[in-house]
Amino acid sequence: MATYDLVVIGTGPGGYVCAIRAAQLGLKVAVVEKRATHGGTCLNVGCIPSKALLHASELFEEAGHGFAGMGIGVEPKLDLSRMLDFKDEGVDGNVKGVEFLLKKNKVDVVFGVGTILAAGKVAVKGNDGKVVTLEAKAIIIATGSDVTPLPGVTIDEKRIVSSTGALDLETVPKHLVVVGAGVIGLELGSVWRRLGSKVTVVEYLDRILPGMDLEVAKQFQRILAKQGMTFRLSSKVAGVETTGDGVKVTVEPAAGGESQVIEADVVLVAIGRRPYTEGLGLAEAGVALDGRGRVVIDQHFATNVPGIYAIGDVVAGPMLAHKAEDEGVAVAEILAGQAGHVNYDVIPGVVYTYPEVAAVGKTEEELKEAGVAYKVGKFPFLANGRAKVNRTTDGFVKVLADAKTDRVLGVHIIGPSAGEMIHEAVIAMEFGASAEDIARSTHAHPTLSEAVKEAAMAVDGRAIHM
C-alpha cells in the first residue's frame, strides 16, 4: 500500500494546481485521475477548446465582414475539419503541459476511478479492473462538475448536445437552438453563429446572464441580437423530439400559456453544471453534502470528516477554473502549515464572446439589495481613442464605489479585451483601492484600458473625454 502526505482526487485546474503547490512545499503527493489525460473538463472539453473555437470563429467573421473596411480584400473559406483540428491541437498541448508539470514536481499519478474508503484511504480502480489502495494523511476531493441535464431530454451528443458535443459538430447547423442564456450557451452559440448558423436562445428567466450586472446584461443582449442571435426569454422547453433530419423543440411561456414548436438541426443544452460526486463513496465515508449536492466545507476547506478536504466546482461558490486553482493553492498551504486564503470578494468572471463581458465585485442590484450607498462612474468605448480607430466601440466600463469612502466595490466591463482589462480592477480591489486611486494612476495612450481610468474619474464626475 502506497503512503502519501496528500492524495488529490481529480486533476482539473483545482486538483493539479493543488498537487503541484503541495509538492513545492515538500509534501509527498499522489493524484487520481479517471480520464486518460489531465486537466479535467476545463482543459479537455471546456474552457480551453471553447476558447480555441471562439478565437478561430472570431477571426473568420472578421475576415468576412471587417477586413474590407480596413482595406484588406479577402474571401474566407471555412474548413471546419481543420478548425476542429486546430482546437484539438491546442487541447493536446495544454494537457501534455500539465502532465509535464506533475512529473517535474515529482507528483505520482494513478489513473482510474477513486473511491474514498475512509479518512486516509483511497481505492483506485483502473481500466484493467485492478484496484490499488492509497494511504494518505489528507485527501482532497477535486472532482469538479458535470452537465446539468434537462428533465425528460436525452443528450446524445449528435442532435441533442451538451457543451462537450457542441465542440465537435461535424457540420455547421443551419439552425441551432441553445437552451440557457448563461456563459456556456452564449459562448458556444456565438461560435456557431459566426460560422453560419441561425441561433435561437431559449431562457427561463426574463434576462440573459443571471448574476451579472443587469445594465451590462441588457446592453449585451442588444449587441448579440444585432449580431444575429434571437432570444426567447421567460420561456421554458417543454420537450425535445428528434426527427429524421433534425430536432423539434417545444417551447412555452415560463408563466404558462400556449406552446410553440421550433424546428432545428441541433439543440445545445446549457442550463448549468452540477457537482460531480458519483462513485466517490462520500455517503459511506460520512462526508456531508448540502441541498445542492455540494460537499460542505469550513473556511479551511475541511469537510466534517477529519483529514478529508474539498475544493473547486464540487463545493459552494462560482464554478470557475481560477477559483478552483486559488482554492487548491490555499488548501495546500494550509496542509503545509501556512496560512492559505482565498478572497472570494474579488474573483473575476468573464464571458469570452465578442465583445467580451467581465466583472469583479458587486453588481448594482446586489448593492441596492444590501442597502449600500454607492456612486457610479461609466465610460463608453465609443469615446475611447483606441477603440474608435479600431472600430471596436461597442460597450462601456462601469465602476461602482462606496459613496462615503470611495472604495471600489465592483467593476463591470463590456467591450473589446474586457477579460484582460478586468484584472486592473481585481488588483485594485485586492488592495482596497478607491476610485480615486485608479483615476490618479497613469494609463498609457492610446489604450483600451484608458476607459477604466475614465470610468473611475467619472465616479467623481470628471471624465475628460465625454
Side-chain angles (χ1 to χ4, degrees):
M1 183 183 295
T3 304
Y4 296 90
D5 295 312
L6 172 64
V7 169
V8 182
I9 305 176
T11 59
Y16 84 76
V17 167
C18 176
I20 290 171
R21 182 64 184 128
Q24 288 175 343
L25 292 167
L27 276 63
K28 185 180 179 184
V29 184
V31 293
V32 177
E33 176 54 57
K34 68 176 183 178
R35 292 179 187 270
T37 55
H38 300 297
T41 294
C42 181
L43 267 66
N44 289 278
V45 291
C47 336
I48 294 298
S50 65
K51 300 311 160 287
L53 290 184
L54 282 158
H55 175 64
S57 64
E58 187 178 318
L59 292 178
F60 177 76
E61 184 171 63
E62 181 73 359
H65 301 285
F67 279 12
M70 294 183 282
I72 306 170
V74 296
E75 291 185 20
K77 180 182 177 182
L78 176 64
D79 183 343
L80 182 58
S81 177
R82 180 68 194 101
M83 188 178 287
L84 294 178
D85 287 344
F86 160 76
K87 177 256 302 180
D88 291 339
E89 289 161 8
V91 170
D92 185 58
N94 274 278
V95 297
K96 283 180 178 175
V98 175
E99 181 182 4
F100 166 77
L101 290 171
L102 290 170
K103 187 175 182 179
K104 174 189 172 185
N105 286 279
K106 297 178 173 58
V107 175
D108 288 348
V109 176
V110 183
F111 286 104
V113 177
T115 302
I116 299 173
L117 301 177
K121 285 189 179 181
V122 177
V124 185
K125 185 176 182 179
N127 292 332
D128 57 3
K130 294 181 180 178
V131 177
V132 176
T133 302
L134 308 177
E135 201 168 74
K137 295 175 185 176
I139 298 168
I140 293 179
I141 302 164
T143 47
S145 59
D146 197 4
V147 174
T148 299
L150 189 62
V153 176
T154 301
I155 293 175
D156 59 17
E157 300 297 14
K158 296 295 181 184
R159 292 289 184 189
I160 304 172
V161 301
S162 69
S163 55
T164 301
L167 293 167
D168 280 314
L169 297 178
E170 294 178 356
T171 58
V172 177
K174 292 178 182 177
H175 188 187
L176 171 68
V177 171
V178 179
V179 185
V183 176
I184 295 172
L186 296 180
E187 286 186 357
L188 292 174
S190 70
V191 165
W192 293 106
R193 184 205 59 76
R194 291 173 194 153
L195 299 181
S197 294
K198 173 185 176 183
V199 177
T200 301
V201 181
V202 181
E203 169 58 48
Y204 186 82
L205 300 177
D206 61 357
R207 55 164 294 176
I208 68 171
L209 291 181
M212 283 272 190
D213 186 89
L214 183 58
E215 182 182 16
V216 170
K218 286 181 176 179
Q219 171 90 336
F220 188 41
Q221 184 183 336
R222 286 193 290 268
I223 291 171
L224 292 178
K226 187 178 177 182
Q227 292 176 356
M229 276 195 192
T230 300
F231 291 90
R232 295 285 300 270
L233 304 181
S234 300
S235 300
K236 64 180 178 180
V237 173
V240 178
E241 178 189 353
T242 303
T243 62
D245 57 353
V247 185
K248 290 184 177 180
V249 185
T250 302
V251 178
E252 59 186 40
E258 189 175 342
S259 64
Q260 179 185 353
V261 174
I262 302 175
E263 294 190 3
D265 301 277
V266 176
V267 173
L268 165 59
V269 177
I271 59 172
R273 298 184 65 82
R274 59 183 180 178
Y276 189 86
T277 58
E278 185 180 336
L280 275 175
L282 299 187
E284 293 80 359
V287 176
L289 304 180
D290 67 13
R292 294 172 61 179
R294 301 174 298 193
V295 178
V296 177
I297 56 172
D298 65 14
Q299 60 184 350
H300 299 299
F301 311 100
T303 69
N304 62 307
V305 178
I308 301 179
Y309 302 79
I311 60 170
D313 285 7
V314 83
V315 302
M319 289 183 170
L320 298 169
H322 44 284
K323 176 256 198 186
E325 289 181 357
D326 284 357
E327 288 179 334
V329 169
V331 71
E333 292 175 346
I334 288 169
L335 291 174
Q338 298 186 5
H341 173 69
V342 177
N343 184 353
Y344 291 100
D345 291 331
V346 290
I347 295 178
V350 183
V351 188
Y352 297 92
T353 48
Y354 189 84
E356 291 181 344
V357 180
V360 62
K362 301 296 184 184
T363 66
E364 284 204 66
E365 292 69 44
E366 288 170 334
L367 293 175
K368 286 173 183 175
E369 187 176 345
V372 176
Y374 66 94
K375 296 182 292 183
V376 182
K378 284 201 306 181
F379 190 81
F381 283 103
L382 185 63
N384 173 271
R386 182 69 179 274
K388 287 178 78 169
V389 76
N390 287 357
R391 296 187 177 181
T392 55
T393 54
D394 281 336
F396 58 87
V397 178
K398 179 197 284 190
V399 175
L400 306 176
D402 189 285
K404 295 179 180 178
T405 67
D406 196 41
R407 182 169 181 163
V408 178
L409 302 175
V411 176
H412 306 271
I413 307 174
I414 175 170
S417 300
E420 302 297 333
M421 284 189 286
I422 197 64
H423 297 101
E424 173 181 356
V426 172
I427 294 294
M429 291 176 65
E430 184 65 44
F431 284 89
S434 64
E436 181 74 4
D437 289 327
I438 297 175
R440 293 285 179 186
S441 300
T442 303
H443 288 58
H445 175 78
T447 60
L448 298 171
S449 294
E450 288 178 283
V452 178
K453 174 187 172 88
E454 292 266 13
M457 295 169 70
V459 170
D460 192 41
R462 64 176 204 273
I464 298 295
H465 292 94
M466 60 174 264

Coordinates of all heavy atoms in Angstrom, one line a residue, residues 162-233:
S162 N -24.5 18.5 -25.3 CA -24.1 19.3 -24.2 C -22.9 20.2 -24.7 O -22.6 20.2 -25.9 CB -23.6 18.4 -23.0 OG -22.4 17.8 -23.4
S163 N -22.3 20.9 -23.8 CA -21.1 21.7 -24.3 C -20.1 20.8 -24.9 O -19.4 21.3 -25.8 CB -20.6 22.5 -23.1 OG -20.2 21.6 -22.0
T164 N -20.0 19.6 -24.4 CA -19.0 18.7 -25.0 C -19.2 18.4 -26.5 O -18.3 18.5 -27.3 CB -18.9 17.4 -24.2 OG1 -18.6 17.6 -22.8 CG2 -17.9 16.4 -24.8
G165 N -20.4 18.0 -26.8 CA -20.8 17.7 -28.2 C -20.8 19.0 -29.1 O -20.5 18.9 -30.3
A166 N -21.1 20.1 -28.5 CA -21.1 21.4 -29.2 C -19.7 21.8 -29.7 O -19.6 22.6 -30.6 CB -21.7 22.5 -28.4
L167 N -18.7 21.2 -29.1 CA -17.3 21.5 -29.5 C -16.8 20.6 -30.7 O -15.7 20.8 -31.2 CB -16.3 21.3 -28.3 CG -16.5 22.2 -27.2 CD1 -15.7 21.7 -26.0 CD2 -16.0 23.6 -27.6
D168 N -17.7 19.6 -31.1 CA -17.2 18.7 -32.1 C -18.3 18.4 -33.2 O -18.3 17.3 -33.8 CB -16.9 17.3 -31.4 CG -15.5 17.4 -30.8 OD1 -14.6 17.8 -31.4 OD2 -15.4 16.9 -29.6
L169 N -19.1 19.4 -33.4 CA -20.1 19.2 -34.5 C -19.4 19.1 -35.9 O -18.6 19.9 -36.2 CB -21.1 20.4 -34.5 CG -22.0 20.5 -33.3 CD1 -22.9 21.8 -33.4 CD2 -22.8 19.3 -33.0
E170 N -19.8 18.1 -36.6 CA -19.1 17.8 -37.9 C -19.5 18.7 -39.0 O -18.7 18.9 -40.0 CB -19.3 16.3 -38.3 CG -18.7 15.3 -37.3 CD -19.0 13.9 -37.7 OE1 -19.8 13.7 -38.7 OE2 -18.5 13.0 -37.0
T171 N -20.7 19.3 -38.9 CA -21.1 20.3 -39.9 C -21.7 21.5 -39.1 O -22.2 21.3 -38.0 CB -22.2 19.7 -40.8 OG1 -23.3 19.2 -40.1 CG2 -21.6 18.6 -41.7
V172 N -21.8 22.6 -39.8 CA -22.4 23.8 -39.2 C -23.9 23.7 -39.2 O -24.5 23.5 -40.3 CB -21.9 25.1 -39.9 CG1 -22.6 26.3 -39.3 CG2 -20.4 25.2 -39.9
P173 N -24.6 23.7 -38.1 CA -26.0 23.5 -38.1 C -26.7 24.7 -38.8 O -26.2 25.9 -38.7 CB -26.4 23.6 -36.6 CG -25.2 23.3 -35.9 CD -24.0 23.8 -36.7
K174 N -27.7 24.4 -39.6 CA -28.5 25.6 -40.2 C -29.2 26.3 -39.1 O -29.2 27.6 -39.2 CB -29.5 25.0 -41.2 CG -28.8 24.4 -42.5 CD -29.9 23.8 -43.4 CE -29.2 23.2 -44.6 NZ -30.2 22.6 -45.5
H175 N -29.7 25.6 -38.1 CA -30.4 26.3 -37.0 C -30.0 25.6 -35.7 O -30.2 24.4 -35.6 CB -31.9 26.2 -37.2 CG -32.7 27.0 -36.2 ND1 -34.1 27.0 -36.1 CD2 -32.3 27.9 -35.2 CE1 -34.5 27.8 -35.1 NE2 -33.4 28.4 -34.6
L176 N -29.4 26.3 -34.8 CA -29.0 25.8 -33.5 C -29.9 26.5 -32.5 O -30.0 27.7 -32.4 CB -27.6 26.2 -33.3 CG -27.0 25.9 -31.8 CD1 -27.0 24.4 -31.6 CD2 -25.7 26.5 -31.6
V177 N -30.6 25.6 -31.6 CA -31.3 26.1 -30.5 C -30.5 25.9 -29.2 O -30.0 24.8 -29.0 CB -32.7 25.4 -30.4 CG1 -33.3 25.8 -29.0 CG2 -33.6 25.8 -31.5
V178 N -30.2 27.0 -28.5 CA -29.5 26.9 -27.3 C -30.4 27.1 -26.1 O -31.2 28.1 -26.0 CB -28.4 28.1 -27.2 CG1 -27.6 28.0 -25.9 CG2 -27.5 28.0 -28.4
V179 N -30.4 26.1 -25.2 CA -31.3 26.1 -24.0 C -30.5 26.7 -22.9 O -29.6 25.9 -22.4 CB -31.9 24.8 -23.7 CG1 -32.9 24.9 -22.6 CG2 -32.6 24.2 -24.9
G180 N -30.7 27.9 -22.5 CA -29.9 28.5 -21.4 C -29.1 29.7 -21.9 O -28.3 29.5 -22.8
A181 N -29.3 30.9 -21.3 CA -28.6 32.1 -21.7 C -27.5 32.5 -20.7 O -27.3 33.6 -20.4 CB -29.6 33.2 -21.9
G182 N -26.8 31.4 -20.2 CA -25.7 31.7 -19.4 C -24.4 31.8 -20.2 O -24.4 31.9 -21.4
V183 N -23.3 31.7 -19.5 CA -22.0 31.9 -20.2 C -21.7 30.9 -21.2 O -21.4 31.2 -22.4 CB -20.8 31.9 -19.1 CG1 -19.5 32.0 -19.8 CG2 -21.0 33.0 -18.1
I184 N -21.9 29.6 -20.9 CA -21.6 28.5 -21.8 C -22.5 28.6 -23.1 O -22.0 28.4 -24.2 CB -21.8 27.1 -21.1 CG1 -20.7 27.0 -20.0 CG2 -21.6 26.0 -22.1 CD1 -20.9 25.8 -19.1
G185 N -23.8 28.8 -22.9 CA -24.7 28.8 -24.0 C -24.4 30.0 -24.9 O -24.4 29.8 -26.2
L186 N -24.1 31.1 -24.4 CA -23.8 32.3 -25.2 C -22.5 32.2 -25.9 O -22.3 32.6 -27.1 CB -23.9 33.6 -24.4 CG -25.3 33.9 -23.8 CD1 -25.2 35.2 -23.0 CD2 -26.3 34.0 -24.9
E187 N -21.5 31.6 -25.2 CA -20.2 31.5 -25.9 C -20.3 30.5 -27.1 O -19.9 30.8 -28.2 CB -19.1 31.0 -24.9 CG -18.7 32.0 -23.9 CD -17.5 31.6 -23.0 OE1 -17.1 30.4 -23.1 OE2 -17.0 32.4 -22.2
L188 N -20.8 29.3 -26.8 CA -20.9 28.3 -27.9 C -21.9 28.7 -29.0 O -21.7 28.4 -30.2 CB -21.2 26.9 -27.3 CG -20.1 26.4 -26.5 CD1 -20.5 25.1 -25.8 CD2 -18.8 26.1 -27.3
G189 N -23.0 29.4 -28.6 CA -23.9 29.9 -29.6 C -23.3 30.9 -30.5 O -23.5 30.9 -31.7
S190 N -22.4 31.7 -29.9 CA -21.7 32.8 -30.7 C -20.7 32.1 -31.7 O -20.5 32.6 -32.8 CB -21.0 33.8 -29.9 OG -19.9 33.3 -29.2
V191 N -20.1 31.0 -31.3 CA -19.2 30.3 -32.2 C -19.9 29.9 -33.5 O -19.5 30.2 -34.6 CB -18.5 29.1 -31.5 CG1 -17.9 28.1 -32.5 CG2 -17.5 29.5 -30.5
W192 N -21.0 29.2 -33.3 CA -21.7 28.6 -34.4 C -22.5 29.7 -35.2 O -22.6 29.5 -36.5 CB -22.6 27.5 -34.0 CG -21.8 26.3 -33.5 CD1 -21.6 25.9 -32.2 CD2 -21.0 25.5 -34.3 NE1 -20.7 24.9 -32.1 CE2 -20.3 24.6 -33.4 CE3 -20.7 25.4 -35.7 CZ2 -19.4 23.6 -33.8 CZ3 -19.8 24.4 -36.1 CH2 -19.2 23.5 -35.2
R193 N -22.9 30.8 -34.6 CA -23.5 31.9 -35.4 C -22.5 32.5 -36.3 O -22.7 32.7 -37.5 CB -24.0 32.9 -34.4 CG -24.7 34.1 -35.2 CD -24.7 35.4 -34.4 NE -23.4 35.9 -34.1 CZ -22.6 36.5 -35.0 NH1 -23.0 36.6 -36.3 NH2 -21.4 36.9 -34.7
R194 N -21.2 32.7 -35.8 CA -20.2 33.2 -36.7 C -19.9 32.3 -37.9 O -19.5 32.8 -39.0 CB -18.9 33.5 -35.9 CG -19.0 34.5 -34.9 CD -17.7 34.5 -34.0 NE -17.8 35.3 -32.8 CZ -17.1 35.1 -31.7 NH1 -16.3 34.1 -31.7 NH2 -17.3 35.9 -30.7
L195 N -20.0 31.0 -37.6 CA -19.7 30.1 -38.7 C -20.8 29.8 -39.6 O -20.7 29.0 -40.6 CB -19.2 28.7 -38.1 CG -17.9 28.9 -37.2 CD1 -17.5 27.5 -36.7 CD2 -16.8 29.5 -38.0
G196 N -22.0 30.4 -39.4 CA -23.1 30.4 -40.3 C -24.4 29.9 -39.8 O -25.4 29.8 -40.6
S197 N -24.5 29.5 -38.5 CA -25.8 29.0 -38.0 C -26.8 30.2 -37.7 O -26.3 31.2 -37.3 CB -25.6 28.2 -36.7 OG -24.8 27.1 -36.9
K198 N -28.0 29.9 -37.8 CA -29.1 30.7 -37.2 C -29.2 30.2 -35.8 O -29.2 29.0 -35.5 CB -30.4 30.5 -37.9 CG -31.6 31.2 -37.2 CD -32.9 30.8 -37.9 CE -34.1 31.5 -37.1 NZ -35.4 31.1 -37.7
V199 N -29.1 31.1 -34.8 CA -29.1 30.7 -33.4 C -30.2 31.3 -32.6 O -30.5 32.5 -32.7 CB -27.7 31.2 -32.7 CG1 -27.8 30.8 -31.2 CG2 -26.6 30.5 -33.4
T200 N -31.0 30.4 -32.0 CA -32.1 30.9 -31.1 C -31.8 30.4 -29.7 O -31.5 29.3 -29.4 CB -33.5 30.2 -31.6 OG1 -33.7 30.6 -32.9 CG2 -34.6 30.7 -30.7
V201 N -31.8 31.4 -28.8 CA -31.5 31.1 -27.4 C -32.8 31.1 -26.6 O -33.6 32.1 -26.6 CB -30.6 32.2 -26.8 CG1 -30.2 31.9 -25.3 CG2 -29.3 32.2 -27.6
V202 N -33.1 30.1 -25.9 CA -34.3 30.0 -25.0 C -33.9 30.0 -23.6 O -33.0 29.2 -23.1 CB -35.1 28.6 -25.3 CG1 -36.3 28.6 -24.4 CG2 -35.4 28.5 -26.8
E203 N -34.4 31.0 -22.8 CA -34.0 31.2 -21.4 C -35.3 31.3 -20.6 O -36.2 32.0 -20.9 CB -33.2 32.5 -21.3 CG -32.9 33.0 -19.9 CD -32.2 31.9 -19.0 OE1 -31.2 31.3 -19.5 OE2 -32.7 31.7 -17.9
Y204 N -35.2 30.6 -19.4 CA -36.4 30.6 -18.5 C -36.6 31.9 -17.8 O -37.7 32.4 -17.6 CB -36.1 29.5 -17.4 CG -37.3 29.3 -16.5 CD1 -38.4 28.5 -16.9 CD2 -37.3 29.9 -15.3 CE1 -39.4 28.3 -16.0 CE2 -38.4 29.7 -14.4 CZ -39.5 28.9 -14.8 OH -40.5 28.7 -14.0
L205 N -35.5 32.6 -17.5 CA -35.6 33.9 -16.8 C -35.9 35.0 -17.8 O -35.9 34.8 -19.1 CB -34.3 34.2 -16.1 CG -33.9 33.2 -15.0 CD1 -32.5 33.6 -14.4 CD2 -34.9 33.2 -13.9
D206 N -36.2 36.2 -17.3 CA -36.5 37.3 -18.2 C -35.3 38.1 -18.7 O -35.4 39.3 -19.1 CB -37.5 38.2 -17.5 CG -37.0 38.9 -16.2 OD1 -35.9 38.5 -15.8 OD2 -37.7 39.7 -15.6
R207 N -34.1 37.5 -18.5 CA -32.9 38.2 -18.8 C -31.8 37.2 -19.2 O -31.9 36.0 -18.8 CB -32.4 39.1 -17.7 CG -32.2 38.2 -16.4 CD -31.4 38.9 -15.3 NE -30.0 39.1 -15.8 CZ -29.1 39.8 -15.0 NH1 -29.4 40.3 -13.9 NH2 -27.9 39.9 -15.5
I208 N -30.7 37.6 -19.8 CA -29.6 36.7 -20.0 C -28.6 37.0 -18.9 O -28.7 37.9 -18.2 CB -29.0 37.0 -21.4 CG1 -28.3 38.4 -21.5 CG2 -30.0 36.9 -22.5 CD1 -27.4 38.6 -22.8
L209 N -27.6 36.1 -18.9 CA -26.5 36.1 -17.9 C -27.0 36.4 -16.5 O -26.6 37.5 -15.9 CB -25.5 37.2 -18.3 CG -24.7 36.9 -19.5 CD1 -23.7 38.1 -19.8 CD2 -23.9 35.6 -19.4
P210 N -27.8 35.5 -15.9 CA -28.2 35.7 -14.5 C -27.0 35.9 -13.6 O -26.0 35.2 -13.7 CB -29.0 34.5 -14.2 CG -28.6 33.5 -15.2 CD -28.3 34.3 -16.4
G211 N -27.0 36.8 -12.6 CA -25.9 37.1 -11.7 C -25.0 38.2 -12.1 O -24.4 38.8 -11.3
M212 N -25.0 38.5 -13.5 CA -24.2 39.7 -13.9 C -25.0 41.0 -13.7 O -26.2 41.0 -13.5 CB -23.9 39.5 -15.4 CG -22.8 38.5 -15.7 SD -21.2 39.3 -15.7 CE -20.1 38.1 -16.3
D213 N -24.3 42.1 -13.8 CA -24.9 43.4 -13.6 C -26.0 43.5 -14.7 O -25.8 43.2 -15.9 CB -23.9 44.5 -13.8 CG -24.4 45.9 -13.6 OD1 -24.4 46.3 -12.4 OD2 -24.9 46.5 -14.6
L214 N -27.2 44.0 -14.3 CA -28.4 44.0 -15.2 C -28.2 44.9 -16.4 O -28.5 44.6 -17.5 CB -29.6 44.4 -14.4 CG -30.9 44.4 -15.2 CD1 -31.2 43.0 -15.9 CD2 -32.1 44.8 -14.3
E215 N -27.6 46.1 -16.1 CA -27.4 47.1 -17.2 C -26.4 46.5 -18.3 O -26.7 46.6 -19.5 CB -26.8 48.4 -16.7 CG -26.6 49.4 -17.8 CD -26.0 50.7 -17.2 OE1 -25.4 50.7 -16.1 OE2 -26.0 51.7 -18.0
V216 N -25.4 45.8 -17.8 CA -24.5 45.1 -18.7 C -25.2 44.0 -19.5 O -25.0 43.9 -20.7 CB -23.3 44.5 -17.9 CG1 -22.4 43.6 -18.8 CG2 -22.4 45.6 -17.4
A217 N -26.0 43.2 -18.8 CA -26.7 42.1 -19.5 C -27.6 42.6 -20.6 O -27.7 42.1 -21.7 CB -27.5 41.3 -18.5
K218 N -28.3 43.7 -20.3 CA -29.3 44.3 -21.3 C -28.5 44.8 -22.5 O -28.9 44.6 -23.7 CB -30.1 45.4 -20.6 CG -31.2 44.9 -19.7 CD -32.0 46.1 -19.1 CE -33.1 45.6 -18.2 NZ -33.9 46.7 -17.6
Q219 N -27.4 45.5 -22.3 CA -26.6 46.0 -23.4 C -26.0 44.9 -24.2 O -26.0 44.9 -25.4 CB -25.5 46.9 -22.8 CG -24.4 47.3 -23.9 CD -24.7 48.6 -24.6 OE1 -25.9 49.0 -24.6 NE2 -23.7 49.3 -25.1
F220 N -25.6 43.8 -23.5 CA -25.0 42.7 -24.2 C -26.1 42.0 -25.0 O -25.8 41.6 -26.2 CB -24.5 41.7 -23.1 CG -23.7 40.6 -23.6 CD1 -22.8 40.7 -24.7 CD2 -23.8 39.3 -23.1 CE1 -22.0 39.7 -25.2 CE2 -23.1 38.2 -23.6 CZ -22.2 38.4 -24.6
Q221 N -27.3 41.8 -24.5 CA -28.3 41.2 -25.3 C -28.6 42.0 -26.6 O -28.8 41.4 -27.7 CB -29.6 41.1 -24.5 CG -30.7 40.3 -25.3 CD -32.0 40.2 -24.5 OE1 -32.0 40.3 -23.2 NE2 -33.1 40.1 -25.2
R222 N -28.6 43.3 -26.5 CA -28.8 44.1 -27.7 C -27.7 43.9 -28.7 O -28.0 43.8 -29.9 CB -28.9 45.6 -27.3 CG -30.2 46.0 -26.6 CD -30.4 47.5 -26.5 NE -29.4 48.1 -25.6 CZ -29.7 48.3 -24.3 NH1 -30.9 48.0 -23.8 NH2 -28.8 48.9 -23.5
I223 N -26.5 43.8 -28.2 CA -25.4 43.6 -29.1 C -25.5 42.3 -29.8 O -25.3 42.1 -31.0 CB -24.0 43.7 -28.4 CG1 -23.8 45.2 -27.9 CG2 -22.9 43.3 -29.2 CD1 -22.6 45.4 -27.0
L224 N -25.8 41.2 -29.0 CA -25.9 39.9 -29.6 C -27.0 39.8 -30.6 O -26.9 39.1 -31.6 CB -26.0 38.8 -28.5 CG -24.8 38.6 -27.6 CD1 -25.2 37.6 -26.5 CD2 -23.6 38.2 -28.4
A225 N -28.1 40.5 -30.3 CA -29.3 40.5 -31.2 C -28.9 41.2 -32.5 O -29.3 40.7 -33.6 CB -30.5 41.2 -30.5
K226 N -28.2 42.2 -32.4 CA -27.7 43.0 -33.6 C -26.8 42.1 -34.4 O -26.8 42.2 -35.7 CB -26.9 44.2 -33.2 CG -26.5 45.2 -34.3 CD -25.9 46.4 -33.7 CE -25.4 47.3 -34.9 NZ -24.7 48.5 -34.3
Q227 N -26.0 41.2 -33.8 CA -25.1 40.3 -34.5 C -25.9 39.2 -35.2 O -25.4 38.5 -36.0 CB -24.1 39.7 -33.5 CG -23.1 40.7 -33.0 CD -22.2 40.1 -32.0 OE1 -22.3 38.9 -31.6 NE2 -21.2 40.9 -31.5
G228 N -27.2 38.9 -34.7 CA -28.0 37.9 -35.4 C -28.6 36.9 -34.5 O -29.4 36.0 -35.0
M229 N -28.3 36.9 -33.2 CA -28.9 35.9 -32.3 C -30.4 36.3 -32.0 O -30.7 37.5 -31.9 CB -28.2 35.9 -31.0 CG -27.0 34.9 -31.0 SD -26.4 34.6 -29.3 CE -24.8 33.8 -29.6
T230 N -31.2 35.3 -31.9 CA -32.6 35.5 -31.5 C -32.8 35.0 -30.1 O -32.3 33.9 -29.7 CB -33.6 34.8 -32.5 OG1 -33.4 35.2 -33.8 CG2 -35.0 35.0 -32.1
F231 N -33.6 35.8 -29.3 CA -33.8 35.4 -27.9 C -35.2 35.2 -27.6 O -36.1 35.9 -28.0 CB -33.2 36.5 -26.9 CG -31.7 36.6 -27.0 CD1 -31.1 37.5 -27.8 CD2 -31.0 35.8 -26.1 CE1 -29.7 37.6 -27.9 CE2 -29.6 35.9 -26.1 CZ -29.0 36.8 -27.0
R232 N -35.5 34.1 -26.9 CA -36.8 33.8 -26.4 C -36.7 33.7 -24.8 O -36.4 32.7 -24.3 CB -37.3 32.4 -26.9 CG -37.5 32.4 -28.4 CD -38.8 33.1 -28.8 NE -39.9 32.5 -28.2 CZ -40.6 31.5 -28.8 NH1 -40.3 31.0 -29.9 NH2 -41.7 31.0 -28.2
L233 N -36.9 34.9 -24.2 CA -36.8 34.9 -22.7 C -38.1 34.6 -22.1 O -39.1 34.5 -22.7 CB -36.3 36.3 -22.3 CG -35.0 36.8 -23.0 CD1 -34.7 38.2 -22.5 CD2 -33.9 35.9 -22.7

